[in-house]
């Protein structure tokens, strides 16, 4: 596929899926492979561009061609990209199973990054298992994390930058978790605006149970392949998903879930929920809602506001059915449908009910209240 006037652009941006399945593989040949006539021209094109310029071209192609697959992204994992990724990592982060910390690697950074780049593009790079570590949760339980090795962090960080150039054009506006230029405060502001300015009477506070542990590897790869046709990128993601964990010297396989604590996990989680929930919920709102519906999702925490109770009940049932199709369930205790909004207190008083329920979202308790002038406020 052409982009602008340069013939080599089909190696950099999107391309339709080839009739011959081997075609996608042949785009990104390793150095020295026979028949690689276009590779020198591609390298000359890259040498004239900064990494930001290359990603801008990918971003523009993703924006213009929503249904096409990117068959050549792996070559963007350059020495420059890997070095920038390394310099962006925390210098005080704990070491993974490799035992290597940031300062250890920095002592010979140029040679280390060059060697990592060589192994990546020769196919000898190997993903390491995550070192199991536990952190306490608010409910007294422990959350397991997998601390990645330093080089896995470097490659994951660099790949996330590349994939964000594609997916930031695809993700829905009501998705806020772990996205560039978006924060928890943005999600809270969006929710407050939706609840205050829209006629909302019911709120569904939904929490996906053990989401990061239940992600299906098979479905995740299939979802990723909707946009990513570069087999070497897909193989990288598979390596990280199946690298397993190491706890007290014992290796354990990971047959499902994304490695919590890994740099790549938040993006993979957003890809999964983009296809499982976001696109479906957006379509449900357009096709079936009879009143106003506002949505905000931050990772696996979801809040949906409804004008009509009828819509809220139907959506809840449909959402549970949808999640089950992909191996997910809502948390039975943390998921609630409640009367909430500008008229909630008055309507409940008429029926002899107490004050409207409250709900927590991203650490903040949301309450149906009124200001001094009697106007609805959170």
């Amino acid at each position: 596929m052409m982009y602008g006037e340069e013939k080599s652009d089909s190696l950099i941006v999107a391309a339709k899926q080839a009739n011959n399945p081997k075609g996608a593989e042949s785009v990104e040949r390793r150095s020295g492979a026979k028949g690689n006539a276009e590779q020198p021209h591609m390298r000359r094109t890259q040498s004239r561009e900064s990494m930001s310029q290359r990603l801008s071209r990918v971003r523009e192609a993703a924006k213009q061609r929503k249904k096409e697959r990117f068959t050549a992204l792996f070559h963007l994992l350059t020495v420059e990209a890997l070095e920038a990724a390394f310099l962006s990592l925390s210098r005080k982060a704990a070491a993974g199973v490799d035992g290597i910390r940031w300062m250890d690697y920095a002592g010979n950074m140029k040679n280390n990054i060059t060697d990592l780049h060589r192994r990546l593009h020769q196919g000898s790079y190997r993903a390491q298992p995550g070192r199991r570590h536990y952190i306490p949760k608010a409910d007294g339980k422990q959350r397991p994390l997998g601390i990645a090795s330093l080089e896995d962090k470097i490659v994951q960080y660099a790949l996330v930058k590349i994939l964000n150039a594609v997916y930031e054009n695809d993700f829905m506006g009501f998705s806020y978790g772990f996205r560039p230029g978006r924060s928890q405060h943005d999600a809270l502001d969006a929710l407050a605006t939706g609840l205050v300015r829209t006629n909302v009477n019911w709120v569904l506070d939904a929490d996906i149970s053990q989401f990061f542990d239940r992600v299906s590897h098979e479905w995740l790869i299939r979802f990723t392949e909707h946009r990513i046709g570069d087999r070497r990128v897909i193989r990288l993601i598979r390596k990280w998903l199946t690298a397993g964990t190491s706890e007290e010297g014992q290796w354990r396989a990971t047959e499902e879930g994304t490695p919590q604590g890994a740099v790549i996990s938040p993006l993979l989680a957003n890809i999964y929920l983009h296809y499982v929930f976001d696109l479906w919920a957006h379509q449900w709102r357009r096709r079936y809602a009879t009143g106003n519906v506002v949505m905000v999702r931050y990772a696996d925490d979801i809040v949906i506001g409804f004008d009509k109770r009828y819509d809220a009940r139907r959506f809840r049932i449909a959402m549970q059915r949808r999640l089950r199709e992909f191996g997910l369930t809502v948390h039975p205790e943390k998921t609630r449908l409640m009367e909430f909004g500008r008229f909630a207190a008055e309507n409940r008083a008429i029926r002899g009910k107490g004050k409207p329920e409250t709900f927590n979202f991203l650490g903040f308790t949301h309450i149906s209240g009124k200001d001094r002038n009697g106007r609805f406020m959170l």
Side-chain angles (χ1 to χ4, degrees):
M1 171 162 290
M2 302 295 290
Y3 177 71
E5 299 295 328
E6 298 181 69
K7 184 177 180 180
S8 64
D9 283 353
S10 61
L11 297 172
I12 299 174
V13 296
K16 292 182 178 178
Q17 188 171 5
N19 293 329
N20 180 359
K22 296 182 180 179
E25 289 278 356
S26 64
V27 172
E28 269 291 338
R29 298 185 182 92
R30 298 174 186 171
S31 58
K34 293 182 179 180
N36 202 12
E38 292 179 285
Q39 192 79 359
H41 175 67
M42 182 181 70
R43 284 198 293 267
R44 288 196 298 271
T45 301
Q46 288 189 25
S47 67
R48 294 194 297 266
E49 293 181 313
S50 67
M51 189 64 188
S52 61
Q53 289 174 317
R54 297 171 208 163
L55 293 182
S56 293
R57 296 170 68 213
V58 172
R59 193 175 297 112
E60 186 62 27
K63 182 179 180 180
Q64 292 180 1
R65 300 193 280 277
K66 292 286 189 179
K67 295 184 178 181
E68 295 185 25
R69 303 169 72 217
F70 286 74
T71 58
L73 294 173
F74 195 85
H75 68 271
L76 294 176
L77 289 171
T78 62
V79 170
E80 174 193 353
L82 296 173
E83 186 173 307
F86 171 71
L87 294 174
S88 298
L89 297 177
S90 170
R91 304 187 180 194
K92 298 181 179 180
V97 295
D98 56 352
I100 301 175
R101 295 179 178 271
W102 193 94
M103 292 303 297
D104 301 327
Y105 206 82
N108 193 21
M109 183 188 70
K110 293 292 185 182
N111 289 336
N112 287 333
I113 293 295
T114 300
D115 181 63
L116 173 59
H117 177 265
R118 176 188 60 79
R119 284 182 280 122
L120 268 174
H121 289 268
Q122 288 184 352
S124 58
Y125 163 81
R126 295 290 181 267
Q128 299 292 315
R131 181 172 67 83
R132 179 65 81 200
H133 177 70
Y134 295 90
I135 60 173
K137 297 172 62 176
D139 58 6
K141 298 180 180 179
Q142 289 188 316
R143 183 188 304 277
L145 297 179
I147 301 176
S149 68
L150 185 63
E151 288 196 333
D152 285 342
K153 292 178 184 177
I154 295 170
V155 181
Q156 288 180 21
Y157 192 100
L159 185 61
V160 165
K161 285 285 188 181
I162 296 168
L163 295 182
N164 274 340
V166 176
Y167 284 106
E168 278 302 304
N169 290 283
D170 292 355
F171 289 156
M172 303 297 294
F174 59 78
S175 167
Y176 287 88
F178 308 107
R179 292 180 57 186
R182 294 189 167 212
S183 66
Q184 291 188 1
H185 292 295
D186 294 324
L188 290 166
D189 288 344
L191 178 60
T193 299
L195 294 179
V196 171
R197 297 185 180 179
T198 307
N199 188 25
V200 168
N201 297 301
W202 296 88
V203 163
L204 177 61
D205 178 19
D207 181 273
I208 301 177
S209 181
Q210 296 181 300
F211 168 69
F212 287 93
D213 297 327
R214 299 286 176 82
V215 168
S216 163
H217 291 176
E218 178 184 355
W219 277 114
L220 176 57
I221 293 299
R222 290 175 65 177
F223 292 148
T224 306
E225 288 177 333
H226 281 311
R227 281 298 245 167
I228 309 302
D230 190 325
R231 303 313 305 167
R232 299 181 74 181
V233 171
I234 297 299
R235 282 197 292 269
L236 258 186
I237 294 173
R238 282 190 184 276
K239 286 181 180 181
W240 292 322
L241 290 175
T242 59
T245 60
S246 177
E247 184 173 3
E248 297 181 352
Q250 297 294 317
W251 178 81
R252 294 183 181 180
T254 48
E255 297 180 354
E256 63 178 358
T258 61
Q260 291 193 59
V263 177
I264 194 78
S265 285
L267 174 59
L268 296 181
N270 273 332
I271 292 173
Y272 200 82
L273 286 178
H274 174 70
Y275 288 100
V276 171
F277 179 79
D278 295 356
L279 292 177
W280 169 84
H282 176 66
Q283 187 178 67
W284 191 97
R285 176 168 56 181
R286 295 178 61 183
R287 288 186 176 183
Y288 304 113
T290 60
N292 297 321
V293 179
V294 297
M295 303 180 187
V296 174
R297 180 178 69 80
Y298 194 96
D300 55 343
D301 289 332
I302 307 168
V303 177
I304 310 104
F306 300 88
D307 177 11
K308 300 182 179 180
R309 187 180 189 183
Y310 172 71
D311 285 341
R313 286 177 166 176
R314 290 167 61 231
F315 183 90
R316 182 176 187 173
I317 294 172
M319 180 183 71
Q320 291 173 325
R321 186 184 303 117
R322 172 71 177 181
L323 293 178
R324 281 197 298 269
E325 292 177 7
F326 300 95
L328 302 174
T329 59
V330 294
H331 196 291
E333 297 176 1
K334 296 181 180 179
T335 299
R336 297 177 299 144
L337 177 61
M338 70 200 77
E339 195 168 9
F340 191 98
R342 66 176 67 249
F343 303 115
E346 296 175 11
N347 291 338
R348 290 178 67 84
I350 293 173
R351 300 196 307 271
K353 301 288 186 178
K355 293 182 179 180
E357 293 183 70
T358 64
F359 68 93
N360 294 319
F361 182 60
L362 300 179
F364 288 84
T365 300
H366 290 69
I367 304 171
S368 282
K370 293 184 178 181
D371 62 17
R372 294 179 179 179
N373 298 318
R375 292 175 298 191
F376 173 65
M377 63 174 290
L378 295 177

